[in-house]
Amino acid sequence: MPKVMSVNPTQWCGQSVERVEDAALLTGRGRFIDDLGVKPGTLFAAILRSPHAHARIAAIRADDARKLPGVAAVLTGPDVTRLSASLVVGVKAPIECWPIAVDRVRYVGEPVAVVVAASRYVAEDAIDLIEVDYEPLAAVVDPEQTLDPAQPVLHDGLKSNLASERAFRYGDPEHAFASAARRVSVTIRYPRNSCTPMETYGLVAEYDAAEDAYDVLANFMGPFSLHAVMARALKVPGNRFRLRTPPDSGGSFGVKQGVFPYIVLMGVAARATGRPVKWIEDRLEHLAASVSATNRVTTLEAAVDADGRVRALAWDQLEDVGAHIRAPEPATLYRMHGNLTGAYDIRNVSVRNRVVLTNKTPTGLNRGFGGPQVYYALERLMQRIAVELALDPVDVIRRNLIPSGAFPYRTATGALLDSGDYMKAFEAALADGQFAELRERQQKARAEGRLYGIGVVAAVEPSVSNMGYITTALTPEERRKAGPKNGAQATATISLDPLGSVSVHVSSVPQGQGHRTVLSQIVADELGLKPADIRVVTDFDSARDAWSIASGNYSSRFAAAVGGAAKLATDKIKAKLARMAAAQLNVGPDDIEFAAGKVRARGNPDNAVPFSRLAATSHWSPGLVPEENQALRETAFWSPPELTPPTEGDEVNSSLCHGFIFDFCGIDIDRVTGAIRIDKYVTMHDCGRILHPGMVAGQVTGGFAHAVGAAMYEEYAYGEDGSFLTGTFADYLVPTTMEVPEPVILHVETPSPFTPLGTKGVGEGNCMSTPVCLANAVADALNIDSIDLPLTPAKIAAHIHDAERAPPKAQATAPLAGKGRALRGSGEARVNVPPETVWRMLLDPKTLEAIIPGAHGVEKVADTHFRAEVTLGVGPVTGRYKADIKLSDLDAPRAVTLTGVVNGALGDARGAGRIKLTPVEGGTQVTYDYDAEIGGKVASIGGRLLDGAAKVVIKQFFAALVRHTGGAKPGLFARLFGRGA
Amino acid sequence: MPRLSADARHTIRFTLNGRAVEAQAEPRMLLTDFLRHELGATGTHVGCEHGVCGACTIEIDGATARACLTLAVQIDGANIRTVEGLAPEPGRLSVLQEAFRRHHALQCGFCTAGILMSLDNYFRRKPDPSEDDLRDFLGGHLCRCTGYVPILAAAMDAAKRLREAPTDA
Amino acid sequence: MKPARFDYIRAGDIAEAHTALAECGKDARVIAGGQTLMPMLSMRLVRPKVLIDIMHLPALRKIEASGNDIRIGAAVRQAELMAWPDLRDSLPLLKAALPWVGHAQTRSRGTVCGSVAHADPSAEIPLSLLALDGAVELSTRRGKRRVAANEFFTGMMSTTRADNELIEAVLIPKSQACTGYAFQEFGRRHGDFAIVACAAVATDKSIRLAVGGVADKPTLRDWPALDGTALTDALDAFAWELDARDDLHATARYRRELVRQMGLATIEEARKCRA
């Protein structure tokens, strides 16, 4: 085992120093991508996106858009396939993945055309002028249904929507299950969500035709393994694809990995136009089509002893990556592969992993990356074991935790848990977090009749990903063919300038975490300087900086890997400086120390040289310094030897470091609204050595807030037809100060023996532990065995509210509730003419033109087939649509079915309505019911309003019918506005 | 009655952080784009463009406003304050800004300008808010990094210091 | 996410606003605080040819007593009404409802009349206007008319305002003696669109409950002073009559239950605070 590298007693590390980043950010002088100027002549892009979840593109007419003044180009699929290559796909399957739809759209929001124009405003004007003919195809959104052979197959290269399947076996799970005292299982459906950084994607792409080279500035965050994917797609060698990042980035949480297809897309646009192209994603684009965490269906079963000791786990994971298996997927599924036993000592595991495609946005990195999905299943299971065996959930965890003294501990599935004392942290959390007091509080609350639940969760938080874990998706044979993949290269460069000041550069691409501050602390400690003496540069340039495929900002790798590499680079330059100083001060190099801005003889502080003078020497007087001692610039590359490739037995050490988390909480549920109040939340972390307590606290509270969002508020929701339903921040609900309480944060510190500074990652743990902790508390409060996220009030209230009394008679025929964005309704109207007259009117284009709201012309295609141009509006929201209406089931003059499709810029609707005409005294009673599905823009951004809007439009139709027939009897008109219409 | 034509750019004159400025805008130009790209005041950020996230919050004639829900033409003649006007002088931070730095109340800093502008306005109207008041008030802003805990702490601290030394805004 | 092109008119007086509306009719939209209209413009859901800005008309920026009513001009911002010293005494229901309208940062720009004009079925101000028998004052260059709230709101974002009419003010009756007012709301997050909002007005002889967020417009019922099962039966019938629908944030059944339980709680609160 490698031993902990000795760390000097430090002064700056461990302190919550003020961040060097903050003064600029607080005064409006940050330099985010959209804050930087662009070259004269830069064009601005906007993207036309698919309103359909699945459709064939029959035609795209963009001539009007191209003619619009200010428009430089309109690019569609064929332009992109001509100038680039498909993005490589991470599984062995004959499928392509383009950054724009080619012939077919497979999710709402998929790019269909790119307009490049003089401004974003004009580009959006041009988008409005593009006409696309779609031939809608059946869509599938559910990961279980997508495996049904009757469902449409998304990619022609595949026989089904199953893109990857692997089975694994560790230990002897069959025997453990066969001999188990009890078997307990859970099935969970983890929903889609995303950490939605406040800054959206942005980039400026340039193409130099003379050198056939691309230069892209983008708020990409890594991993830079994707640099290779992008360069290949742009069909240039890596050295002709220069990728740079701006100095500041407005958060990422994994999400900004997903800008990479747009880098390719806009690279192509820059090449096609010969001009720099800038694209800033807007929030609607971001919510619909950036990237999201995977949704997953997991069945997890445990073989359990009577006392709650778990002997084996059987995992069945069904991972939904959306419409394309876009790099680095299926990484979400395999990132946790070494950690499928969580914090527990369980030696027997079987796993079935399947990756499926559905008509939803492709998935990618998102804070927690695979952890939330795994721990939701594992820790729900542990809670169920406690309930089914009538044990205290705390005792079930205690009984199964990896014992103290067992570290480093190799899990059944291959992870090498570097360090920890889980039992100690667990007991400390119970004591310091006052768990016993929480139990009393619960008893008191329950005695008062309140719904009060307690949740407990233990988790291992992996960090510093092994770049080889993803190859676990391949069979050992496939891996042998492809060559082994492993490691996690971290880089850092330190340089001394002619005035002897110190600069540090890393390729960690921070997204707001304060890397510059922490690196200045680390280097200042090593060199005996102040953090303010160290200037750290973190904006990245692939043409100039030291980097490798693992560079970037993900898998919580900064403190452990990059901070460590910075220490190693500093050590290198320090050794040279020490030798130089030794010669000047007439002592041995081992007797040199760096302190108080000086390099001096240990034990004789007066025998010293100022650091800056020594540091400048190799610039001004290189002749005085032996070449091997010249200190100008040093780069350290560090990849831990523990990150080995997957074994022949599919064991994989998927991450280098493993923190420990133990959380518990008490929640109170309102009996009327079903709303959850988080009464107390305690989170214990062992994240190794802490370099900056303030930043660690910020990672914990920030991750906790994301987790509260994922647990209770956030979901990327889709209708059954694949329409996207949460296209604004009014429907995708990000928690605010009102929703996020302050957690109690506890720490123990067990340094990692595998990292240069003893540090581990801490950024993602609460995203893994907190959602299931809250869910366990809800399950406890309601005494229910199954609950999925998000924990919405309506979902919870369904377990609380008494059975509903039957509706009063008048409402006995109340319309069925809609499902997803399916709308249903009914209504009636009374007109002054007999049914025969109404019948003729419904079949007459002239009358239809008069009564269809906003019709600009009705064309009779056949006796029972009409086409119309209509302007439909609800309040101020109006749009022009093309309607295609067919009549069927004609029962003259009594009944007819209208089937229609309406398409326009604001969305599309498909529906059917049955109209019945009944003769009554003095006229006709018209009754109708309808059933419609609405998709596209209005479904994404105005879902809340659709039912009402449909009513308004239908009401307009019948009001016009009544008017056209000469009106209704006095007093009857009002009945039009009764129930349903 | 002046009617500003959709296709033309029109001169907008107003006061930005105490200085008279002017620039040109089409009627449809959002104030966010106008401040950022016509006047170079890029401290005001754009997070959602539909008025929910609060990143673009500024002050118009003494009241907080979402710049993304405002047109450039609407502010002709108005008095605008943005984050660039908060610090008392270059190289020095205001009491509120300092509190944010001290409490690590920002990480990526993208939402911060809007929160600072909101709080700066609020403290002038309500110098002694309770934590509940502040929670309710800050509910109009989204932050994805901090989890809000340090923001609330910084806001409480700043309010206290401003009460103790009100002149040193 | 940028608006399509439009002309912009900054009305210098009410007559100019009337003229512009008369000339442009349905191609024009009035912009006041813009808190609802602006996102719709940026999403290109709304594409007027002309925007008429009425925020520079001092005549519209007044809160004044008008007989038994409080008249709130079209340029009065929600925050200004919240800060109006007589609010608690004159309009206790609004005092309770206004904190639920958006957030402080949007109330500082959004207007009272703008919310009424937009007629969102979940909005608090239209609901309060209906509950209090308020009215909307509409004007053209030819004259004024007053439309009672229960006639003004016709459905989802739909009102009886004609294209050439300007909403000049809303009129809200002052609070009555021996009458209690209460407002309760539930949304997913504070400041969200209401899943259910309830406004109750109670005297010793009568109960009124107005509900927002459920039907396609704010809807009310009047009952005599019911109690016990008579009241819960009435609430149950009302809950069904609102024809609730499932959506992303709540089921129809959930909404009905909130109408029953929160409706009852709001009525009880109104009875308690009966002066």
Side-chain angles (χ1 to χ4, degrees):
Chain A
M1 276 309 119
K3 56 184 200 302
V4 185
M5 299 189 66
S6 66
V7 178
N8 292 332
T10 59
Q11 194 180 354
W12 298 106
C13 285
Q15 289 189 41
S16 293
V17 300
E18 290 188 346
R19 301 198 324 168
V20 296
E21 290 88 349
D22 289 354
L25 295 172
L26 286 163
T27 51
R29 297 197 314 272
R31 287 174 294 159
F32 298 90
I33 180 102
D34 195 33
D35 299 343
L36 307 174
V38 292
K39 278 188 188 169
T42 298
L43 298 170
F44 299 84
I47 298 173
L48 175 68
R49 294 174 181 276
S50 171
H52 295 283
H54 201 188
R56 203 165 290 288
I57 299 173
I60 301 177
R61 288 180 296 280
D63 288 349
D64 289 350
R66 289 193 177 94
K67 280 183 213 147
L68 189 73
V71 172
V74 179
L75 282 82
T76 61
D79 302 307
V80 176
T81 56
R82 187 164 48 81
L83 294 172
S84 65
S86 165
L87 303 166
V88 295
V89 176
V91 295
K92 297 283 170 207
I95 49 179
E96 292 184 330
C97 181
W98 296 93
I100 192 168
V102 177
D103 300 333
R104 197 165 156 190
V105 292
R106 294 181 177 85
Y107 63 96
V108 171
E110 184 162 20
V112 171
V114 179
V115 173
V116 187
S119 78
R120 173 73 182 224
Y121 288 79
V122 173
E124 291 193 20
D125 293 344
I127 289 287
D128 285 349
L129 298 174
I130 300 173
E131 287 185 31
V132 184
D133 293 342
Y134 294 102
E135 292 167 5
L137 301 166
V140 58
V141 296
D142 180 88
E144 291 174 295
Q145 282 176 14
T146 200
L147 291 170
D148 181 343
Q151 293 293 338
V153 176
L154 267 65
H155 291 271
D156 293 337
L158 296 175
K159 290 191 182 71
S160 75
N161 291 322
L162 180 65
S164 164
E165 174 163 12
R166 286 221 61 200
F168 306 89
R169 183 177 170 277
Y170 306 91
D172 191 350
E174 298 83 0
H175 178 261
F177 273 100
S179 57
R182 293 289 292 267
R183 296 169 78 130
V184 179
S185 78
V186 293
T187 295
I188 62 114
R189 287 174 177 76
Y190 202 88
R192 284 196 157 212
N193 50 46
S194 163
C195 289
T196 62
M198 294 314 302
E199 182 197 39
T200 57
Y201 296 165
L203 63 89
V204 184
E206 286 184 63
Y207 175 72
D208 180 345
E211 297 205 29
D212 187 27
Y214 292 89
D215 185 335
V216 180
L217 177 72
N219 56 14
F220 178 63
M221 56 147 244
F224 283 82
S225 50
L226 292 171
H227 183 276
V229 173
M230 290 183 269
R232 279 189 190 179
L234 290 168
K235 299 203 276 198
V236 291
N239 59 8
R240 286 174 197 275
F241 171 56
R242 182 177 185 178
L243 182 56
R244 295 177 293 126
T245 67
D248 291 308
S249 179
S252 175
F253 323 108
V255 175
K256 280 179 179 156
Q257 160 263 329
V259 71
F260 89 89
Y262 295 103
I263 293 175
V264 174
L265 186 59
M266 296 305 164
V268 169
R271 180 169 174 174
T273 54
R275 304 257 293 268
V277 172
K278 178 173 175 176
W279 173 69
I280 302 292
E281 181 194 48
D282 70 34
R283 182 57 63 183
L284 303 191
E285 296 181 276
H286 187 85
L287 291 169
S290 58
V291 85
S292 94
T294 60
N295 55 300
R296 189 181 296 177
V297 181
T298 304
T299 296
L300 176 61
E301 186 171 30
V304 193
D305 291 348
D307 66 352
R309 182 80 175 87
V310 178
R311 295 297 172 187
L313 293 175
W315 286 89
D316 187 342
Q317 303 189 94
L318 184 61
E319 177 86 327
D320 179 354
V321 295
H324 297 279
I325 186 153
R326 203 157 68 187
E329 296 293 14
T332 311
L333 186 56
Y334 285 92
R335 192 260 181 126
M336 298 297 291
H337 197 79
N339 302 113
L340 289 174
T341 47
Y344 308 120
D345 179 29
I346 303 169
R347 301 312 309 170
N348 307 298
V349 182
S350 70
V351 185
R352 176 163 76 144
N353 278 345
R354 288 174 294 170
V355 179
V356 296
L357 297 156
T358 60
N359 292 109
K360 303 202 289 286
T361 299
T363 58
L365 271 62
N366 195 62
R367 195 176 199 169
F369 201 47
Q373 293 91 330
V374 160
Y375 285 115
Y376 199 82
L378 182 58
E379 295 301 307
R380 285 291 302 124
L381 178 74
M382 297 306 276
Q383 198 255 1
R384 288 304 305 158
I385 290 171
V387 172
E388 294 194 21
L389 275 59
L391 300 168
D392 186 327
V394 168
D395 289 333
V396 174
I397 289 175
R398 184 181 281 122
R399 206 149 287 160
N400 285 287
L401 281 178
I402 293 166
S404 303
F407 296 88
Y409 173 94
R410 181 75 70 178
T411 68
T413 50
L416 184 62
L417 306 184
D418 48 335
S419 68
D421 185 340
Y422 296 179
M423 205 61 83
K424 181 179 126 194
F426 165 79
E427 299 294 353
L430 292 172
D432 299 347
Q434 298 176 302
F435 185 78
E437 188 267 346
L438 189 66
R439 275 274 181 243
E440 284 167 24
R441 192 143 38 159
Q442 179 183 36
Q443 279 157 12
K444 188 161 164 268
R446 287 186 166 175
E448 291 165 4
R450 283 152 60 199
L451 296 167
Y452 195 104
I454 288 179
V456 291
V457 160
V460 165
E461 175 183 2
S463 54
V464 190
S465 283
N466 182 348
M467 298 309 279
Y469 76 73
I470 181 61
T471 62
T472 319
L474 306 176
T475 63
E477 294 73 41
E478 287 168 334
R479 288 200 296 267
R480 275 196 296 274
K481 252 184 236 168
K485 306 264 191 313
N486 69 294
Q489 282 284 6
T491 69
T493 299
I494 183 167
S495 52
L496 306 173
D497 62 45
L499 291 176
S501 57
V502 181
S503 295
V504 174
H505 181 271
V506 294
S507 301
S508 64
V509 200
Q511 310 287 315
Q513 297 98 329
H515 293 183
R516 293 178 60 214
T517 300
V518 175
L519 290 167
S520 74
Q521 289 174 278
I522 293 168
V523 174
D525 276 344
E526 295 297 324
L527 298 179
L529 301 172
K530 298 188 295 297
D533 298 330
I534 317 295
R535 195 92 200 285
V536 182
V537 177
T538 52
D539 37 322
F540 172 86
D541 182 340
S542 68
R544 289 187 174 155
D545 298 324
W547 61 278
S548 182
I549 59 161
S551 295
N553 186 340
Y554 61 96
S555 76
S556 302
R557 66 194 305 281
F558 170 73
V562 180
K567 182 203 178 300
L568 298 179
T570 310
D571 285 346
K572 285 166 85 171
I573 215 157
K574 191 176 166 184
K576 292 184 171 184
L577 289 168
R579 290 198 293 272
M580 282 165 61
Q584 290 184 29
L585 303 178
N586 282 319
V587 293
D590 292 346
D591 291 325
I592 293 293
E593 67 177 9
F594 291 68
K598 293 199 163 62
V599 185
R600 63 194 190 193
R602 207 182 305 275
N604 182 8
D606 293 338
N607 186 19
V609 56
F611 177 88
S612 56
R613 191 165 146 193
L614 185 73
T617 308
S618 300
H619 287 283
W620 298 105
S621 322
L624 298 179
V625 185
E627 200 179 319
E628 68 274 15
N629 289 354
Q630 287 185 12
L632 292 162
R633 180 183 181 99
E634 295 294 336
T635 295
F637 291 87
W638 178 75
S639 186
E642 293 81 8
L643 293 185
T644 49
T647 66
E648 286 289 301
D650 288 315
E651 289 119 344
V652 60
N653 188 19
S654 33
S655 301
L656 178 69
C657 303
H658 297 89
F660 175 73
I661 301 173
F662 176 70
D663 286 2
F664 61 86
C665 69
I667 61 105
D668 210 351
I669 295 174
D670 185 293
R671 282 189 182 272
V672 174
T673 62
I676 299 168
R677 186 182 64 85
I678 301 173
D679 184 37
K680 178 173 186 174
Y681 197 100
V682 176
T683 183
M684 160 63 85
H685 287 255
D686 181 352
C687 60
R689 183 176 166 223
I690 291 173
L691 300 176
H692 189 295
M695 288 187 203
V696 167
Q699 288 299 314
V700 172
T701 55
F704 176 73
H706 270 135
V708 168
M712 293 162 60
Y713 300 98
E714 301 176 29
E715 182 181 9
Y716 278 161
Y718 288 83
E720 285 176 0
D721 61 349
S723 54
F724 180 62
L725 306 180
T726 46
T728 73
F729 270 153
D731 284 319
Y732 189 81
L733 304 181
V734 172
T736 74
T737 39
M738 294 295 282
E739 286 77 41
V740 185
E742 180 170 359
V744 177
I745 302 170
L746 303 171
H747 285 288
V748 298
E749 287 189 43
T750 315
S752 173
F754 298 164
T755 63
L757 294 165
T759 43
K760 304 181 179 189
V762 68
E764 301 175 83
N766 283 89
C767 287
M768 304 181 185
S769 60
T770 299
V772 64
C773 191
L774 292 170
N776 281 347
V778 168
D780 182 46
L782 300 176
N783 192 24
I784 54 176
D785 57 8
S786 172
I787 183 102
D788 284 323
L789 304 183
L791 305 163
T792 63
K795 195 187 282 181
I796 289 170
H799 296 281
I800 306 171
H801 289 162
D802 295 333
E804 197 171 27
R805 280 196 287 174
K809 228 177 187 174
Q811 278 76 42
T813 56
L816 295 168
K819 216 172 195 186
R821 278 301 83 206
L823 308 178
R824 286 172 195 174
S826 61
E828 57 190 9
R830 192 155 169 182
V831 295
N832 282 343
V833 293
E836 290 75 11
T837 312
V838 179
W839 184 262
R840 277 197 305 277
M841 291 164 64
L842 289 174
L843 269 68
D844 171 37
K846 281 216 176 87
T847 315
L848 284 175
E849 186 166 338
I851 63 174
I852 291 174
H856 305 293
V858 174
E859 175 201 352
K860 189 169 181 171
V861 182
D863 277 351
T864 56
H865 185 183
F866 302 91
R867 284 202 194 109
E869 290 257 336
V870 295
T871 299
L872 295 177
V874 176
V877 181
T878 54
R880 202 167 168 125
Y881 301 85
K882 286 182 175 166
D884 190 289
I885 298 161
K886 286 178 181 156
L887 308 181
S888 58
D889 300 331
L890 281 79
D891 177 12
R894 284 183 289 273
V896 59
T897 296
L898 269 70
T899 311
V901 180
V902 177
N903 273 304
L906 296 185
D908 58 276
R910 300 163 296 284
R914 183 81 176 158
I915 298 178
K916 288 181 188 157
L917 309 175
T918 313
V920 291
E921 195 190 327
T924 306
Q925 181 79 4
V926 185
T927 57
Y928 60 91
D929 55 68
Y930 61 90
D931 201 327
E933 278 183 345
I934 294 187
K937 190 169 176 175
V938 287
S940 294
I941 64 183
R944 190 175 61 86
L945 306 171
L946 284 183
D947 271 297
K951 283 187 199 177
V952 168
V953 171
I954 288 160
K955 191 192 315 185
Q956 287 169 357
F957 175 84
F958 285 97
L961 179 69
V962 170
R963 271 199 308 277
H964 204 72
T965 58
K969 287 187 174 170
L972 287 180
F973 192 84
R975 291 185 56 184
L976 280 170
F977 304 128
R979 178 182 54 82
Chain B
M1 173 172 56
R3 176 166 176 159
L4 306 186
S5 157
D7 302 324
R9 285 160 66 86
H10 308 274
T11 302
I12 318 293
R13 294 183 183 83
F14 66 106
T15 304
L16 178 61
N17 296 320
R19 295 163 72 167
V21 294
E22 65 174 66
Q24 299 212 315
E26 285 182 8
R28 64 168 164 170
M29 180 173 271
L30 302 175
L31 180 55
T32 38
D33 290 329
F34 185 63
L35 288 172
R36 292 172 48 76
H37 301 309
E38 300 297 320
L39 288 153
T42 56
T44 299
H45 291 144
V46 177
C48 75
E49 286 185 304
H50 55 284
V52 181
C53 80
C56 68
T57 304
I58 60 168
E59 197 180 277
I60 302 177
D61 293 333
T64 54
R66 309 286 210 214
C68 76
L69 299 186
T70 311
L71 296 166
V73 289
Q74 286 177 288
I75 57 127
D76 189 46
N79 189 3
I80 305 289
R81 291 181 70 227
T82 65
V83 68
E84 286 93 343
L86 280 185
E89 59 188 73
R92 232 183 106 208
L93 299 181
S94 71
V95 170
L96 178 62
Q97 289 167 319
E98 274 191 347
F100 266 60
R101 182 163 69 178
R102 199 165 45 249
H103 289 272
H104 304 292
L106 66 159
Q107 288 181 27
C108 80
F110 197 80
C111 69
T112 310
I115 295 176
L116 292 174
M117 292 311 296
S118 261
L119 286 172
D120 181 75
N121 180 281
Y122 187 61
F123 289 153
R124 272 181 277 134
R125 289 181 288 118
K126 192 163 172 120
D128 194 5
S130 67
E131 189 184 318
D132 285 349
D133 291 337
L134 275 171
R135 273 192 187 275
D136 180 55
F137 177 74
L138 288 170
H141 290 274
L142 301 182
C143 166
R144 280 306 229 174
C145 293
T146 63
Y148 304 111
V149 171
I151 293 178
L152 279 163
M156 292 296 284
D157 185 10
K160 182 164 170 283
R161 284 170 196 253
L162 286 166
R163 284 195 303 276
E164 286 162 2
T167 48
D168 188 20
Chain C
M1 214 180 145
K2 309 295 182 190
R5 285 196 165 100
F6 47 76
D7 288 356
Y8 172 81
I9 293 172
R10 181 183 282 194
D13 55 39
I14 292 175
E16 284 187 355
H18 285 152
T19 303
L21 278 167
E23 285 169 3
C24 308
K26 68 176 167 46
D27 291 331
R29 294 299 303 175
V30 169
I31 184 164
Q35 300 302 288
T36 306
L37 182 60
M38 282 300 301
M40 296 169 96
L41 289 173
S42 288
M43 293 175 193
R44 300 193 178 206
L45 292 172
V46 179
R47 312 176 65 133
K49 293 198 174 115
V50 184
L51 266 197
I52 304 166
D53 187 343
I54 58 160
M55 289 309 282
H56 298 269
L57 308 181
L60 300 182
R61 201 140 192 183
K62 287 184 201 154
I63 305 170
E64 58 200 350
S66 165
N68 282 330
D69 295 332
I70 303 299
R71 184 179 183 278
I72 301 162
V76 173
R77 302 193 195 272
Q78 293 150 7
E80 290 166 350
L81 181 59
M82 271 178 93
W84 183 53
D86 294 344
L87 186 66
R88 182 187 301 272
D89 293 337
S90 294
L91 301 172
L93 185 68
L94 270 297
K95 172 83 183 165
L98 283 169
W100 292 92
V101 180
H103 295 101
Q105 294 83 354
T106 59
R107 293 193 294 266
S108 63
R109 295 286 288 174
T111 62
V112 175
C113 289
S115 175
V116 170
H118 186 60
D120 188 298
S122 290
E124 294 82 4
I125 295 173
L127 177 64
S128 303
L129 193 71
L130 179 75
L132 295 173
D133 286 328
V136 182
E137 190 179 294
L138 296 157
S139 65
T140 65
R141 49 186 173 184
R142 293 212 177 81
K144 283 188 188 179
R145 67 176 178 133
R146 188 184 281 203
V147 180
N150 66 358
E151 289 168 20
F152 184 72
F153 303 111
T154 57
M156 176 67 58
M157 290 161 53
S158 301
T159 70
T160 54
R161 185 186 78 87
D163 289 332
N164 64 343
E165 284 181 314
L166 174 73
I167 296 179
E168 242 184 73
V170 292
L171 296 140
I172 312 181
K174 276 190 246 180
S175 71
Q176 302 289 304
C178 305
T179 307
Y181 303 87
F183 186 93
Q184 293 190 12
E185 175 168 326
F186 184 73
R188 294 278 304 276
R189 298 171 305 175
H190 190 76
D192 275 339
F193 294 109
I195 288 176
V196 174
C198 295
V201 181
T203 68
D204 57 355
K205 295 198 178 63
S206 70
I207 303 168
R208 165 173 287 188
L209 181 68
V211 172
V214 184
D216 58 357
K217 59 183 178 182
T219 306
L220 66 74
R221 289 290 180 274
D222 285 305
W223 299 295
L226 303 175
D227 278 301
T229 51
L231 180 54
T232 52
D233 286 351
L235 283 165
D236 183 55
F238 187 22
W240 282 103
E241 284 157 17
L242 288 165
D243 191 25
R245 305 294 173 109
D246 288 354
D247 70 11
L248 193 63
H249 299 300
T251 58
R253 163 152 177 24
Y254 178 79
R255 287 195 161 88
R256 285 192 295 272
E257 195 60 31
L258 252 55
V259 171
R260 292 181 197 107
Q261 296 202 39
M262 216 167 74
L264 181 63
T266 314
I267 289 167
E268 281 168 357
E269 187 190 330
R271 284 176 156 172
K272 252 183 235 157
C273 61
R274 205 160 51 199

